[in-house]
Amino acid sequence: MLKYIVKRLLLLIPILLAVSVVVFLILRLGEGDPAMSYLRLSNIPPTDEALAVARTALGLDQPLPVQYAAWLGKALTLDFGRSYVTGNPVLGEILYYLPNTLKLAGFSLLLTLAISLPLGIWSALYKDRLPDHVTRVLAFTGVSMPSFWLGFLLVWLFSIHLKWLPPMGMGTMSHMLMPAVTMSLMSLAINTRLIRGNMLDNMHARYVLYARARGLPERVVVGRHVLVNSLIPVITAVGMHVGELFGGAVVAESIFSWPGVGRYAVSAIYNRDFPVMQCFILIMTTIFVLMNLCVDILYAWLDPRIRLEGGTRQ
C-alpha cells in the first residue's frame, strides 16, 4: 500500500505539469493582450511606448517557451507573481480567500451525503412505489436544474418573498444555507441515484440470497450486507463531487457574494488578471487530484477484493 501511495504521489508531478502547460497556453494564445490588461488595471494610458515597456517588464517579449520556463521556475518556489489589480502576491490573496471556499464546500459535501444516503436507501427499499417515484422526480429535477438558476430562485423565494434568509454575505449559518444548497443539489441527485442503483443490484446478489437462506433478519441483510457493499462505489463518487462543488463555488459565491476564492477568480477573469487565473486553476487542480488520491486509497482499503501490488489491480 505504501508503494502504491508513493507511486500515486509521483504521478501528481506530470499531471500538474501538463495542467500548467495547458493553462499557460490557453491564457497566452487566447484573445486579449496581457500587457494591455496590465496597463488598463494600472490606470496607465496604453500608448505604444507604455505597451512596449509593459511587455518587457512582464516578459511578454520573450518566446512562449522562455515565458513558461520563467513562470514555472518561480511557481516551483511558490511565487506565482503579483495581481495586476491589487499588486499583491497572488498566492497570499488566494490563501486568504481559500478557507471560506473550503468551509462552504465542506458544508455542501456534508449536506450532499446527509440527504442522498437516506433518500437512496428509501428509494431502493420501496422500488416502483410512491417513495421511489418521489425520489426519482427529485433526482431528475436536481440533475436538470442549472445551479445559477436555482440560486436566483432561492434568493427570490427565501430572501425576497418569505424574508427568512439573508440574500448575500457571510456570517451565521443562515448565510451558508442557500449557497450550500445551490452547490450541492446536482451532486445530491447523482448520489441518490447511485445509491439506489447499487442497492438494487446488490439485493439480487447471491450472497444476499444466502444471507436470507440462513434466516438472518431482513434489517441485518439490508444493513450489514446490501448497504455496506452499496456504499463502496459511492466513495469513488465523492471524489468527483469535490470537483463539482469547487466548480459550483464559482457560481454560488458570485450569486450570494460569498467572499471565497471562486468569486475572486471570477473577478480575475473579468479583469483578465492572468497571474491570478493561472494560480487559481493550478491550486484547484492540486486539491482535486489530492482528493481523488485519498478516495482511491480509501477505496482500496475498504474493498477486500482489490489487491494492490505495485500500483496495479489484480
Side-chain angles (χ1 to χ4, degrees), residues 43-59:
N43 294 321
I44 300 175
T47 61
D48 292 340
E49 293 78 10
L51 279 171
V53 171
R55 288 196 178 96
T56 302
L58 299 175

Side-chain angles (χ1 to χ4, degrees), residues 112-176:
T112 298
L113 297 177
I115 296 178
S116 65
L117 184 59
L119 276 183
I121 297 172
W122 194 43
S123 179
L125 293 179
Y126 294 92
K127 181 176 179 293
D128 294 333
R129 294 164 65 180
L130 181 60
D132 187 28
H133 293 314
V134 172
T135 305
R136 289 161 70 179
V137 169
L138 290 175
F140 181 75
T141 304
V143 172
S144 307
M145 188 176 294
S147 59
F148 69 89
W149 191 53
L150 173 64
F152 288 126
L153 282 180
L154 292 176
V155 170
W156 173 80
L157 179 61
F158 293 104
S159 298
I160 298 176
H161 186 66
L162 299 176
K163 302 184 184 305
W164 287 355
L165 297 172
M168 60 182 66
M170 186 182 76
T172 62
M173 180 64 74
S174 60
H175 289 86
M176 198 185 297

Side-chain angles (χ1 to χ4, degrees), residues 217-281:
E218 187 63 19
R219 59 181 176 78
V220 176
V221 174
V222 173
R224 186 177 299 173
H225 296 281
V226 177
L227 180 59
V228 171
N229 288 290
S230 300
L231 291 181
I232 293 177
V234 176
I235 295 172
T236 304
V238 169
M240 304 301 296
H241 293 329
V242 171
E244 294 172 3
L245 291 176
F246 277 110
V250 174
V251 176
E253 290 178 359
S254 299
I255 294 175
F256 297 99
S257 296
W258 184 271
V261 73
R263 183 164 171 258
Y264 179 59
V266 171
S267 172
I269 292 171
Y270 281 135
N271 291 320
R272 306 190 69 79
D273 198 342
F274 286 82
V276 174
M277 294 158 65
Q278 290 178 159
C279 184
F280 169 77
I281 296 174

Side-chain angles (χ1 to χ4, degrees), residues 9 53-54 95 102 132 148 235 249 285 288-289 291 307:
L9 286 173
V53 171
L95 292 180
L102 292 177
D132 187 28
F148 69 89
I235 295 172
T285 303
F288 182 71
V289 173
M291 282 301 301
R307 297 290 182 268

